[in-house]
Amino acid sequence: MRILVFANTPAHVHLYRHAVSRLEEAGHEVLVLTREYACTTDLLEFFGLPYRRYGAHDTAASSKVRLAREFAGQAGRIAAEATRFRPDVVFGRGPYAALAGTITRSPVVLVLDDEPGDFNHTVSRPFATCILSPAVTRRDLGDDHYTFDGFKECAYLHPAVFEPDRAVRDYLGVGSDERYALVRFNALDALHDAGLEGFGRRQRRDLIERLSRHATVFVSDEGGGMDLAELPARPYDLHPALIHDAMAEAALLVADTGTMINEAALLGTPALRFRGTDDHEYGEFAELERVGLAEQFDEYAAVRERAIELLTDESADDRWQRRRREYVGDLVDLTDLLVDVAEAKGSLEAVDRSTRRALRPRSAST
């Protein structure tokens, strides 16, 4: 079999990387189509995944019109690569997977979440053989939409596939018992981030200065515009493939970005999300709040004070790890599910019994 996978962001690489490796080990031919964006190709190289580039994402192109123009300029390359590869099934999301599946007349499997806006869903839904999403997703995308108990991040952070490497402390230069916090500032340049604002400049500086009184602070600045020279913080500058090991060892993650909040929560690390101007209701965050693994805040002062409270609470680590053990182990191992759906060419009637039990029609559960 030939399986085509679209990985347009770092999160997509993590979503599919274990499935790609297992499919290759089983003798299938897999190709990842990607674009230059953030550390996406760095991750593909690190994990040794077979990929080709079809273009680059202009981080200044945050409006829907500019993003549509960008895609139009890349469509020819996507069509050519897909035609050359002749896939038996296509995995991805949005117009990218829809175009490749249409050109090659291949089944299309969309793996979606509760992102805001309708663009990706609208353009790809008519071309989908099946749509997979977490059960907490609030959307109902029709008869071909199936849900599973878990999160997209379960493909790489489920206890069955993730084992943290404590050597990351040596790489970071922190002691074995030294408490440290990760602070992540979003670039807000993705389609679903258009028009949003997260931490302001003064808030960023204030947050770093306050947290540094209680823990070592590492800053991951996705936009790359912060000067940390005069601030009591270190840049997080390890290879991006090590971020989950770093999160697993951290005492706290504070961010105005979504994916890393989900990831830290599933690792049992206290995760605080500042919404900023984002008023979209995400089913994933609501569920993680419900089980006590993540918290969201509308006001900057509230997230800052909660962060300080957790850093000075020596029992917080144990509470979050206990919640993780009680909750995450019962979620679906998404890698198993993706591999089975790929080998069934997207036909859920052909998957094995355990996968069929793990999936349920969205329309029947709303």
Side-chain angles (χ1 to χ4, degrees), residues 97-134:
L99 173 62
T102 300
I103 291 292
T104 61
R105 297 183 179 180
S106 305
V108 175
V109 179
L110 305 178
V111 184
L112 305 178
D113 54 12
D114 229 357
E115 71 169 22
D118 295 315
F119 180 73
N120 276 328
H121 304 311
T122 300
V123 300
S124 57
R125 175 179 169 181
F127 305 93
T129 303
C130 68
I131 301 170
L132 309 178
S133 77

Side-chain angles (χ1 to χ4, degrees), residues 300-340:
Y300 166 66
V303 70
R304 180 191 65 199
E305 295 311 310
R306 180 58 171 156
I308 293 171
E309 180 182 358
L310 286 170
L311 284 181
T312 55
D313 180 355
E314 295 184 359
S315 65
D317 294 347
D318 290 339
R319 290 202 309 278
W320 256 258
Q321 286 299 318
R322 183 181 68 252
R323 293 168 187 170
R324 176 181 185 260
R325 288 192 301 270
E326 293 172 350
Y327 178 70
V328 180
D330 291 332
L331 301 179
V332 167
D333 178 351
L334 186 54
T335 291
D336 278 345
L337 191 151
L338 292 175
V339 169
D340 196 21

Side-chain angles (χ1 to χ4, degrees), residues 50-309:
Y51 75 93
R52 292 185 190 140
R53 285 181 286 259
Y54 65 78
H57 172 54
D58 179 3
T59 57
S62 57
S63 74
K64 292 181 180 180
V65 172
R66 294 181 69 177
L67 286 165
R69 289 175 180 168
E70 179 181 280
F71 172 72
Q74 298 166 348
R77 181 66 181 273
I78 292 172
E81 292 287 1
T83 301
R84 184 182 301 115
F85 186 63
R86 296 178 296 114
D88 294 297
V89 63
V90 178
F91 280 78
R93 64 192 299 155
Y96 313 94
L99 173 62
T102 300
I103 291 292
T104 61
R105 297 183 179 180
S106 305
V108 175
V109 179
L110 305 178
V111 184
L112 305 178
D113 54 12
D114 229 357
E115 71 169 22
D118 295 315
F119 180 73
N120 276 328
H121 304 311
T122 300
V123 300
S124 57
R125 175 179 169 181
F127 305 93
T129 303
C130 68
I131 301 170
L132 309 178
S133 77
V136 295
T137 300
R138 296 166 184 259
R139 298 176 182 273
D140 182 348
L141 298 174
D143 293 340
D144 298 318
H145 183 188
Y146 292 80
T147 67
F148 57 89
D149 287 331
F151 302 79
K152 291 196 292 74
E153 293 81 8
C154 287
Y156 52 98
L157 296 180
H158 192 280
V161 295
F162 179 76
E163 181 67 34
D165 183 0
R166 294 207 75 209
V168 73
R169 285 184 168 272
D170 295 331
Y171 308 148
L172 289 170
V174 296
S176 58
D177 296 319
E178 184 175 348
R179 290 172 66 77
Y180 67 86
L182 287 173
V183 178
R184 170 74 162 183
F185 297 128
N186 200 343
L188 295 170
D189 56 12
L191 173 62
H192 54 264
D193 294 326
L196 298 182
E197 296 179 6
F199 287 109
R201 182 176 298 181
R202 290 183 179 178
Q203 292 171 339
R204 293 182 177 199
R205 295 181 64 90
D206 181 62
L207 180 66
I208 291 169
E209 290 173 351
R210 300 288 188 105
L211 297 188
S212 69
R213 299 170 189 172
H214 308 283
T216 301
V217 177
F218 290 94
V219 175
S220 173
D221 178 25
E222 190 178 27
M226 283 204 71
D227 182 3
L228 299 177
E230 298 181 359
L231 290 171
R234 307 182 204 174
Y236 177 83
D237 55 5
L238 299 186
H239 192 285
L242 301 177
I243 186 61
H244 302 119
D245 299 301
M247 279 196 285
E249 286 292 308
L252 177 70
L253 171 75
V254 183
D256 53 7
T257 180
T259 297
M260 285 184 66
I261 292 295
N262 287 357
E263 291 172 334
L266 292 175
L267 290 168
T269 297
L272 307 183
R273 175 177 178 255
F274 176 53
R275 288 192 181 101
T277 59
D278 187 358
D279 59 1
H280 181 75
E281 293 295 330
Y282 299 86
E284 292 91 338
F285 295 150
E287 173 66 5
L288 291 169
E289 280 191 299
R290 184 187 71 81
V291 298
L293 288 170
E295 299 175 19
Q296 298 186 85
F297 300 85
D298 294 323
E299 301 295 331
Y300 166 66
V303 70
R304 180 191 65 199
E305 295 311 310
R306 180 58 171 156
I308 293 171
E309 180 182 358

